[in-house]
Amino acid sequence: MTLTPVPRLAVIVVAAGSGTRLRGGAPKAFVGLDERSILHHALRGVFTAEAAQVVVVVPDGFEGEALTDARDAAGDRTDLVTVVTGGATRQESVAAGLGALWADVEIVLVHDAARALTPRAVFDRVVAALDAGAVAVIPTLPVVDTIKRVDAEGRVIAAVDRSELAAAQTPQGFRRDVLEAALRSADDDHTDDAAAVASAGHPVLTVEGDAAAFKITTAPDLERARAIVSERPLAATVAAPAQRGPQVGIGTDVHAFGGDGTLWLAGLEWPGEVALSGHSDGDAVAHAIVDALLAAAGLGDIGTHFGVDRPEFAGAHADAFLSHTVGLLSAAGWRVGNVSVQVQANRPRFAARRTEAERALAAALGGAPVSVSATTTDGLGFTGRTEGVAAFATALVLPA
Ligand code: CTP
Ligand code: MG
């Protein structure tokens, strides 16, 4: 555990509801999405955003379970976690969370645990708007359905102008003093915090929400969240690179001889050698490195990012693949530590050009060291029969 300076920002994660509409057999935040609970997923999102005091508000009796979830999601930032018991309404739960804030906190985000898959970008947009001077900020999405006002008998009374409507999400962000004062003087039970702040007379700014920040309310919502979690690459659900440290990955690739033109392998052109076939130049060495790097960063594989439907990579050489991969890693917060790749092939002979290949590959990776070795297979297998080339790569990635 590292001790972080006291943050100026706090996130109150309200998770004290019972989930009556979901009927999930447990308070909603403690229902599982995969092997982890809704709360655990929500907290993972929170901990990928800017360092903040994180106050988790839970139903009476669930404090221990919440603390375990929170510590697990917090990585090396467990010192930032506080768990408190919530109240009978959401507003009371928010008030309980406010009561646990540290003195130095100036900005408060209130976030529904039920919006378990909220992307980090939404947090960032809310904080940025507060930093730019707003006192209250909510993420919203345009309303896409046509909205009608309907009476108790289900008859349409009037159409509602959709252009004036927006669906409010969380995290909702506030200057701490403004939120505290608004909730102190609020008599109604507002369904969200922005309503209390608005009725206290403060302007509430909107920033763009995200469809992924939908609230798990009913059983179909839970199914949708479970489907998303089961399909998305692990990296999207795990902690940020800074909390994960160095990671290794492996990648292999094979291409057959018989392509057009000259051979391209390990980032070099080999005049006089038979070309490899493939959608691109068939550079098995480069492709194995791409897979190893993506695997290390948990970003899927070469097919995820360079599918055959990407015409810009048809016929592309190693430098295009590798530099694009470095860009993908960098966007996810990783940089390349080093790469080691072994080629199995009878041809071409690497001995004379090994250093040249290492330099070309390293340059395409932005300077990270690459080692290349080559071997034959004693006449065995397809490489032994000179039918093609196989490459095996390992890569180390580090938090950027
Ligand atoms: N919440 C809370 N304390 C309450 C009520 C709600 O902390 N007394 C939290 C919920 O845990 C949820 C968020 O506020 O993360 C939004 O509320 P909602 O989706 O309505 O959740 P529940 O109240 O649990 O669900 P339901 O209304 O179906 O019972
Ligand atoms: Mg509720």
Side-chain angles (χ1 to χ4, degrees):
M1 187 175 88
T2 46
L3 282 176
T4 351
V6 178
R8 67 190 180 111
L9 177 72
V11 185
I12 298 175
V13 180
V14 282
S18 52
T20 46
R21 287 169 288 179
L22 183 65
R23 283 195 236 108
K28 185 157 73 181
F30 297 87
V31 171
L33 279 191
D34 45 13
E35 68 278 17
R36 291 175 287 263
S37 65
I38 288 176
L39 176 62
H40 195 290
H41 281 274
L43 289 171
R44 277 175 177 237
V46 169
F47 280 104
T48 60
E50 179 184 325
Q53 183 193 3
V54 177
V55 181
V56 191
V57 189
V58 297
D60 191 19
F62 284 82
E63 295 84 351
E65 201 170 330
L67 199 58
T68 309
D69 267 353
R71 291 204 167 131
D72 195 34
D76 63 357
R77 295 200 262 173
T78 55
D79 54 318
L80 297 175
V81 176
T82 313
V83 174
V84 298
T85 313
T89 65
R90 186 180 182 283
Q91 199 168 307
E92 283 175 35
S93 294
V94 173
L98 283 173
L101 294 188
W102 292 331
D104 290 10
V105 167
E106 292 164 5
I107 291 175
V108 182
L109 268 45
V110 181
H111 185 47
D112 290 340
R115 298 183 188 275
L117 306 182
T118 305
R120 172 189 175 149
V122 182
F123 288 86
D124 291 346
R125 284 197 282 274
V126 171
V127 172
L130 291 164
D131 282 344
V135 297
V137 180
I138 63 171
T140 61
L141 281 184
V143 173
V144 288
D145 294 319
T146 296
I147 306 289
K148 308 283 188 201
R149 207 178 294 281
V150 178
D151 69 12
E153 276 78 51
R155 279 186 301 254
V156 173
I157 307 167
V160 179
D161 180 7
R162 188 172 57 191
S163 67
E164 285 188 351
L165 298 178
Q169 301 185 319
T170 73
Q172 303 193 343
F174 307 92
R175 242 177 46 206
R176 176 190 185 163
D177 54 342
V178 167
L179 180 61
E180 281 178 340
L183 289 185
R184 231 180 285 124
S185 62
D187 33 20
D188 302 320
D189 192 41
H190 298 285
T191 55
D192 70 4
D193 318 289
V197 168
S199 73
H202 296 286
V204 179
L205 193 76
T206 64
V207 294
E208 195 188 345
D210 193 301
F214 70 94
K215 184 156 73 77
I216 301 168
T217 304
T218 59
D221 299 330
L222 182 66
E223 288 317 307
R224 182 177 162 203
R226 283 180 173 160
I228 293 170
V229 165
S230 70
E231 275 168 22
R232 79 183 176 185
L234 190 61
T237 59
V238 297
Q243 293 160 47
R244 296 164 72 192
Q247 300 207 137
V248 296
I250 183 169
T252 70
D253 194 31
V254 164
H255 279 286
F257 289 117
D260 299 327
T262 48
L263 173 71
W264 282 83
L265 192 63
L268 302 179
E269 189 174 12
W270 301 78
E273 295 281 348
V274 178
L276 292 163
S277 63
H279 169 65
S280 63
D281 62 357
D283 190 335
V285 170
H287 300 173
I289 294 174
V290 169
D291 258 351
L293 288 167
L294 292 173
L299 292 174
D301 63 20
I302 196 164
T304 317
H305 302 281
F306 302 86
V308 285
D309 53 346
R310 297 283 302 266
E312 67 270 38
F313 291 109
H317 296 306
D319 51 349
F321 280 86
L322 295 175
S323 60
H324 186 71
T325 305
V326 170
L328 292 168
L329 261 60
S330 159
W334 296 104
R335 67 187 166 86
V336 183
N338 76 301
V339 168
S340 171
V341 60
Q342 187 178 49
V343 190
Q344 278 185 7
N346 286 346
R347 300 209 60 84
R349 308 293 299 174
F350 264 82
R353 298 189 74 189
R354 207 171 50 79
T355 315
E356 199 187 337
E358 287 175 345
R359 285 210 193 105
L361 295 167
L365 289 174
V370 178
S371 25
V372 176
S373 61
T375 186
T376 54
T377 53
D378 218 7
L380 297 173
F382 67 89
T383 55
R385 294 188 296 270
T386 321
E387 291 167 5
V389 165
F392 306 85
T394 57
L396 179 77
V397 298
L398 305 162

